[in-house]
Amino acid sequence: MEETYVRHVEFLGFEKRFFPSQRYVYMLMVKWNNLSEKLIYRGYPEIYTFHKSLMEMFPIEAGDIDKKDRIIPALPAPKWLDSQKSTETRQSTLAEYCQSLINLPPKISHCQLVCNFFKVRPEDENPPAQQVVKINETSTDKARGNTSEISGPIILESYRVIAEYSKTSKYEINLHTGDLVEIVEKSLNGWWFCQCETKRGWVPASYLEPLDGPEESEEADPNYTGELYITTKAYKAAQDDELTLETGETIEVIHKLLDGWWVVRKGEETGHFPSMFLHRTGEKKEMEPEENVTRRQTPPPRRSTIRNTQSIHGKRRKGISQDTYRRTSRRFLQQKGDWPNQPRKTSNASTQSLLQERKNRDNIPKPAGSSPGGELKEGAPLIPPRPSPELIMERCTENTRKKVSVRKSN
């Protein structure tokens, strides 16, 4: 029997789906070697999951062993919140990716994983019916007293509650296992504004799951390069995989998780830290509405601390452990050259060297404008005061801040 494989993939555009959840899907015309042509629909998170599986199946061609051997094309990780603009922008990237994929050696381009991904499915031939469009007033418009008219319908995503939750402030709502809620606003700190029947309020994202999968598919991979943030409030670790930090410390964020507990790096240590207590360096902090300040006094519960969860989906994806974060982070810093190989030690030789340096300094002749007592004569220029450490950190480059952060922790 003749082998069946994909010989060409053409992108025809994209469309918005509202069932079982709101998302964008791409329309792909797949042409096979037997001259048949099939129209399929795939979302970007699904394409990226396929890409990761392909990389795991062919580690040598993916460059995991030696980067020089990589031939599998790269693909950016999905964004947290998809928009029409980002979906449209990705089309050219995906077209190039598919073209490069089809041109790979047959052992990759003709493998079962690639063929199964591009095969037509029942939902491709009979797309699901769309939900009835619901028109609602957004929470931000209501809170700010915005009286402008809504010109078009607002489509809200539906999520399911996986565990009981009791509100801790008047701005939140109670959740019961199995309830369906509609999301009005997703905040990066882990608090989402939703409505459940006639009630509206903030709830922790860790208590919700999408209807079409066990978890949020837009969660990106760790970025071990790191983004510089400053802590705005002190936090003492309550779990073994969390970090204790004081106010005003500079850290690096390496993984932004949807439950609001980001993975940060301080020197060689990594751990979870509430994102609501972080502010990106170089950005101006704006005043927030009263209800936001009230609900942000305490971080949302972490997903790992929720008990008696009842999901409608099967096995959840296993989270990354702190040991894995720490090992990978150290390896990345060592490869980059920002990691000190030897700890600094104060030996007798170094102490003697400092004493000798002080003696040599005393032997340097004093300037003509100075008096025996060490005071400058009238009219002599004054030495400007040394700037504070905070001012130095504010004016130095981002690369210098990272190196100082690593050395302070040692």
Side-chain angles (χ1 to χ4, degrees), residues 175-194:
L175 298 176
H176 302 288
T177 306
D179 285 350
L180 293 181
V181 299
E182 294 176 316
I183 308 302
V184 179
E185 178 186 340
K186 291 181 179 180
S187 178
L188 298 181
N189 62 19
W191 289 102
W192 291 3
F193 194 88
C194 69

Side-chain angles (χ1 to χ4, degrees), residues 188-203:
L188 298 181
N189 62 19
W191 289 102
W192 291 3
F193 194 88
C194 69
Q195 65 179 24
C196 182
E197 296 178 350
T198 59
K199 298 176 295 182
R200 280 189 171 193
W202 296 97
V203 301

Side-chain angles (χ1 to χ4, degrees), residues 49 62 70 112 196 232 251 256 266 283 295 299 356 363:
T49 302
R70 175 163 187 171
Q112 197 63 36
C196 182
T232 58
I251 54 88
K256 298 179 179 179
K266 178 70 176 177
E283 291 184 356
R295 69 178 169 85
Q356 184 64 34
N363 293 333

Side-chain angles (χ1 to χ4, degrees), residues 137-146 171 185 193 200 202 289-292:
E137 179 187 16
T138 61
S139 61
T140 51
D141 290 339
K142 186 176 181 181
R144 297 173 186 174
N146 190 349
Y171 299 103
E185 178 186 340
F193 194 88
R200 280 189 171 193
W202 296 97
E290 178 187 353
E291 66 272 14
N292 289 359

Side-chain angles (χ1 to χ4, degrees), residues 93-215:
T93 302
L94 285 173
E96 293 176 4
Y97 174 81
C98 289
Q99 185 63 33
S100 301
L101 179 65
I102 300 305
N103 291 332
L104 289 176
K107 75 170 186 177
I108 302 177
S109 59
H110 296 184
C111 74
Q112 197 63 36
L113 179 65
V114 174
C115 293
N116 288 342
F117 178 76
F118 287 107
K119 274 184 179 178
V120 66
R121 304 170 183 171
E123 57 267 28
D124 295 328
E125 297 179 332
N126 300 298
Q130 295 185 356
Q131 288 179 320
V132 178
V133 174
K134 299 180 179 181
I135 303 179
N136 295 295
E137 179 187 16
T138 61
S139 61
T140 51
D141 290 339
K142 186 176 181 181
R144 297 173 186 174
N146 190 349
T147 58
S148 61
E149 297 182 357
I150 299 177
S151 58
I154 299 174
I155 312 301
L156 303 181
E157 296 179 83
S158 294
Y159 280 69
R160 181 183 175 276
V161 180
I162 61 173
E164 298 288 323
Y165 175 75
S166 300
K167 64 180 183 180
T168 57
S169 75
K170 64 179 182 179
Y171 299 103
E172 302 172 23
I173 61 174
N174 294 321
L175 298 176
H176 302 288
T177 306
D179 285 350
L180 293 181
V181 299
E182 294 176 316
I183 308 302
V184 179
E185 178 186 340
K186 291 181 179 180
S187 178
L188 298 181
N189 62 19
W191 289 102
W192 291 3
F193 194 88
C194 69
Q195 65 179 24
C196 182
E197 296 178 350
T198 59
K199 298 176 295 182
R200 280 189 171 193
W202 296 97
V203 301
S206 52
Y207 279 75
L208 305 177
E209 68 175 0
L211 298 180
D212 57 347
E215 56 198 2

Side-chain angles (χ1 to χ4, degrees), residues 42-53:
R42 299 291 183 267
Y44 191 78
E46 185 180 4
I47 298 175
Y48 187 73
T49 302
F50 156 76
H51 168 71
K52 298 288 286 185
S53 301

